């Protein structure tokens, strides 16, 4: 990109983001592959298939597709294609393949590891207009839909049939089924209903967890559980992490088959919710408090309510829990859940966020926060916080600083990945490897496994045009 174009690109990026940078500037080691360049002939060919209004080339229109949700990576894509069905998708992929144009599939662009936006000038293929629910079968408990159906829309289509989506995330208003399958999303109720892998019955191009590097998901059939007749939620305060673990163990014993979610937050993450989003925490707390959200799904309202209240009382009598609220009132539950679901949004509100999504053995779960605090102590204005899906052993470990600092990033990475591996964890829990973690894949996979992944990739994508620079480290 010449200087003038780059300056113009930056100006447009600034309108959408406070971050005046390009991924290639922040990660200068990454090199563009030997791909073709987009020209007028290719744009005209795309327009013949999709029509001019579904081929976006105007810089202002393309800019949002180049920036990720956290505004931490920014690509230089020049075109966005918006097919409506599998046939159109297959035609545009043929043109990309013939011209060796690298592509970046994009769903709701809520991915948190930089996988959903281009690094250089990859063609963005957005599935947003592939948004039809084909059918819902209330008896077998299945739904068939296109890849671009937003999770919230899926939930609305399932409810009249007495079903629910088998997963749920804070990003439900934007994330799409294809993106969820491609990242093998986890979420708030994996503890009860299992992963995308467990609930995806079939797809057109099924590559669960391959983050768009092996194929593009165009349609899917998912298995959907019955929408529960009774939902109850407990919001608890606790004085230390050891009590959090004891409470989780007690919840598993006392709530058994009804337990549907077990989430935790520390006081530093709650601070962002109160101070950056102005949300109110309805229980007294201080800077050492831990918070838990424990939810049940069942079929008998009075019984389930009594069961959850009994559990909270037991946890208080045992001295694990300081205080708690239980409710089955939908609006109250939604308000309480906001405190957990908007945690990522809150911590990225004004500051720069370095975020990690790791799996840890429960005995070491919260040690990660202490270890990282110690590591970055010399960076006075950096803050560390932790929250996550305790029930699945997934910790979202966040560091914030007033602005991006390469020195701080180098202090965190690869230190934190080495530490996670040393205690028997995994460097990627549910968000995938994307662009940001690709070079650290060696911490998660053996050289043999990485070699096998490369061979699989080259047999399925011989030109290497599918979402390059993601998941696999550069050779
Ligand atoms: C507020 C918030 C809360 C979140 N909570 C959770 C959570 O609890 N659990 C969790 O797992 N994640 C969570 N995430 C991360 C994110 O929502 C998930 O990764 C989600 O599955 C991404 O879906 P998407 O449609 O936005 O995909 P995108 O972000 O658009 O893409 C993600 C990856 O999938 C690829 N991709 C997208 N669509 C396709 C397709 N049709 N075919 C092939 N490849 C494709 C992209 O190239 C990219 O590599 C959260 C994100 C936010 C912003």
């Amino acid at each position: 990109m010449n200087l003038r174009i780059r300056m113009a690109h930056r100006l447009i990026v600034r309108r959408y983001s406070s971050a005046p940078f390009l991924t290639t500037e922040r990660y200068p080691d990454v090199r563009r592959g030997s791909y073709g360049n987009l020209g007028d002939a290719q744009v005209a060919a795309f327009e013949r298939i999709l029509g001019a209004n579904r081929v976006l080339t105007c810089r202002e229109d393309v800019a949002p597709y180049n920036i990720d949700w956290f505004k931490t990576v920014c690509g230089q894509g020049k075109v966005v294609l918006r097919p409506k069905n599998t046939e159109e998708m297959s035609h545009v992929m043929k043109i990309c393949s013939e011209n060796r144009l690298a592509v970046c599939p994009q769903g709701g662009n809520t991915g948190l590891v930089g996988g959903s936006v281009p690094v250089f000038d990859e063609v963005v293929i957005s599935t947003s207009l592939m948004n039809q629910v084909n059918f819902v079968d209330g008896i077998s408990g299945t739904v068939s839909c296109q890849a671009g159906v937003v999770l919230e829309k899926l939930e609305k289509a399932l409810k009249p049939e007495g079903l629910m989506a088998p997963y749920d995330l804070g990003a439900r208003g934007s994330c799409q089924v294809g993106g969820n399958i491609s990242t093998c999303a986890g979420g708030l109720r994996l503890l009860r209903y299992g992963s995308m892998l467990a609930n995806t019955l079939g797809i057109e191009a099924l590559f669960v967890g391959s983050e768009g590097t092996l194929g593009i998901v165009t349609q899917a059939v998912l298995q959907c559980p019955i929408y529960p007749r009774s939902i109850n939620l407990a919001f608890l305060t606790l004085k230390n992490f050891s009590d959090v673990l004891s409470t989780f163990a007690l919840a598993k014993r006392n709530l058994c088959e009804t337990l549907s979610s077990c989430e935790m937050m520390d006081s530093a993450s709650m601070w962002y919710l109160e101070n950056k989003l102005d949300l109110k925490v309805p229980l007294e707390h201080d800077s050492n408090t831990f918070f838990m959200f424990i939810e049940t799904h069942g079929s008998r309202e009075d019984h389930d309510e009594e069961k959850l209240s009994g559990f909270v009382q037991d946890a208080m009598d045992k001295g694990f829990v300081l205080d708690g609220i239980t409710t089955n009132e939908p609006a109250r539950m939604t308000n309480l859940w906001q405190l957990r679901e908007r945690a990522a949004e809150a911590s990225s509100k004004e500051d720069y966020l370095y975020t990690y999504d790791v799996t840890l053995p429960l005995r070491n779960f919260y040690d990660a926060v202490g270890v990282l605090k110690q590591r970055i102590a010399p960076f006075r204005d950096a803050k560390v916080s932790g929250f996550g899906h305790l029930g699945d052993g997934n910790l979202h470990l966040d560091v914030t600083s007033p602005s991006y600092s390469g020195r701080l990033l180098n202090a965190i990475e690869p230190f934190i990945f080495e530490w996670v591996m040393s205690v028997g964890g995994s460097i990627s829990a549910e968000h995938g490897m994307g662009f940001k973690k690709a070079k650290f894949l060696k911490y998660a996979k053996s050289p043999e496994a990485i070699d096998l992944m490369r061979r699989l990739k080259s047999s399925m994508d011989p030109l290497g045009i599918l979402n390059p620079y993601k998941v696999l480290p550069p050779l």
Side-chain angles (χ1 to χ4, degrees):
M1 209 187 250
N2 72 36
L3 191 63
R4 248 190 33 229
I5 297 177
R6 198 151 83 179
M7 293 301 285
H9 181 88
R10 278 186 177 181
L11 281 176
I12 287 163
V13 165
R14 272 199 196 107
R15 283 207 192 165
Y16 291 94
S17 146
S18 55
F21 67 89
L22 294 173
T23 305
T24 48
E25 292 170 342
R26 192 161 280 174
Y27 297 85
D29 293 345
V30 61
R31 298 272 173 272
R32 186 179 184 279
S34 54
Y35 297 110
N37 292 309
L38 182 80
D40 292 345
Q42 288 82 30
V43 172
F46 292 138
E47 285 180 349
R48 278 196 292 280
I49 298 161
L50 303 178
N53 62 347
R54 289 193 282 127
V55 178
L56 311 182
T57 49
C58 163
R59 288 222 182 100
E60 295 252 348
D61 294 341
V62 173
Y65 295 83
N66 272 312
I67 302 174
D68 74 321
W69 195 85
F70 273 140
K71 299 183 171 54
T72 52
V73 283
C74 175
Q76 302 161 53
K78 297 186 186 74
V79 66
V80 178
L81 307 178
R82 290 159 46 92
K84 281 188 173 167
N85 53 45
T86 308
E87 202 186 347
E88 289 181 351
M89 176 73 85
S90 139
H91 287 315
V92 297
M93 282 308 292
K94 187 162 184 279
I95 294 171
C96 293
S97 176
E98 283 166 358
N99 292 276
R100 210 184 162 108
L101 296 175
V103 303
C104 175
Q106 190 178 97
N109 197 11
T110 65
L112 303 180
V113 285
S116 52
V117 295
V119 175
F120 292 93
D121 56 349
E122 297 88 276
V123 172
V124 176
I125 305 197
S126 163
T127 48
S128 293
L129 299 181
M130 299 178 67
N131 56 8
Q132 298 304 310
V133 176
N134 304 326
F135 66 80
V136 179
D137 183 336
I139 296 176
S140 65
T142 54
V143 60
S144 158
C145 65
Q146 285 186 298
V149 171
V150 169
L151 175 56
E152 199 167 66
K153 174 171 172 174
L154 185 75
E155 283 168 352
K156 283 193 183 129
L158 291 169
K159 203 143 184 214
E161 295 295 329
L163 301 175
M164 61 180 251
Y167 59 102
D168 193 14
L169 339 171
R172 71 178 74 79
S174 309
C175 68
Q176 301 176 5
V177 171
N180 301 145
I181 290 175
S182 302
T183 56
C184 197
L188 301 167
R189 296 191 183 82
L190 184 137
L191 173 69
R192 170 75 176 271
Y193 299 106
S195 69
M196 288 309 288
L197 195 57
N199 291 298
T200 305
L201 297 178
I203 56 162
E204 262 184 358
L206 175 52
F207 307 116
V208 177
S210 71
E211 300 176 52
T213 61
L214 298 180
I216 300 184
V217 179
T218 50
Q219 304 210 61
V221 179
L222 304 179
Q223 157 179 286
C224 303
I226 297 291
Y227 192 90
R229 280 205 203 125
S230 91
I231 303 178
N232 284 270
L233 179 64
F235 176 63
L236 311 172
T237 52
L238 307 93
K239 63 178 178 307
N240 55 44
F241 187 70
S242 157
D243 288 345
V244 170
L245 284 186
S246 307
T247 304
F248 177 42
L250 190 69
K252 290 222 280 190
R253 267 201 305 278
N254 288 16
L255 302 170
C256 296
E257 75 292 347
T258 58
L259 182 62
S260 55
S261 186
C262 183
E263 301 281 313
M264 66 75 62
M265 292 177 73
D266 65 5
S267 62
S269 6
M270 200 56 99
W271 183 91
Y272 291 106
L273 274 299
E274 291 184 291
N275 291 282
K276 305 281 177 173
L277 297 183
D278 222 10
L279 295 184
K280 301 276 169 278
V281 179
L283 292 176
E284 263 186 39
H285 58 284
D286 61 30
S287 59
N288 297 313
T289 307
F290 285 81
F291 303 87
M292 288 181 86
F293 299 79
I294 296 185
E295 186 199 63
T296 61
H297 280 184
S299 56
R300 270 187 46 203
E301 218 166 279
D302 50 348
H303 167 265
D304 293 346
E305 196 179 345
E306 196 185 312
K307 200 164 173 172
L308 188 65
S309 307
F311 151 73
V312 173
Q313 192 56 56
D314 195 9
M316 288 174 89
D317 292 347
K318 289 188 161 61
F320 301 156
V321 164
L322 293 172
D323 202 356
I325 292 173
T326 59
T327 179
N328 55 13
E329 207 253 297
R332 189 106 201 266
M333 288 194 286
T334 305
N335 282 342
L336 287 172
W337 266 127
Q338 276 206 58
L339 292 169
R340 166 62 189 86
E341 291 177 2
R342 298 183 69 191
E345 176 193 345
S347 46
S348 66
K349 198 69 188 167
E350 279 154 34
D351 299 335
Y352 187 86
L353 176 64
Y354 313 78
T355 182
Y356 301 90
D357 157 56
V358 293
T359 304
L360 288 162
L362 286 181
R363 65 178 177 281
N364 302 107
F365 192 81
Y366 198 69
D367 293 348
V369 172
V371 163
L372 200 52
K373 269 188 187 157
Q374 214 172 8
R375 169 78 178 176
I376 62 164
F379 297 84
R380 301 269 150 144
D381 50 10
K383 291 189 217 138
V384 186
S385 57
F387 63 94
H389 312 296
L390 183 74
D392 320 329
N394 290 3
L395 176 71
H396 299 323
L397 183 59
D398 284 355
V399 179
T400 55
S401 64
S403 58
Y404 173 78
S405 155
R407 274 185 54 240
L408 177 55
L409 183 66
N410 290 336
I412 305 171
E413 301 175 6
F415 167 81
I416 193 60
F417 300 129
E418 285 167 358
W419 182 82
V420 166
M421 294 312 290
S422 75
V423 297
S426 163
I427 69 164
S428 173
E430 56 174 9
H431 295 163
M433 301 300 289
F435 170 71
K436 290 189 190 169
K437 286 196 205 167
K439 68 178 173 188
F440 301 113
L441 189 65
K442 66 176 180 206
Y443 291 104
K445 304 271 177 218
S446 66
E448 294 77 22
I450 296 178
D451 184 51
L452 190 62
M453 287 170 74
R454 282 195 201 287
R455 280 191 276 142
L456 192 62
K457 162 99 176 153
S458 70
S459 70
M460 301 183 81
D461 175 24
L463 298 176
I465 60 172
L466 284 169
N467 223 5
Y469 325 110
K470 317 284 169 63
V471 182
L472 282 165
L475 269 171

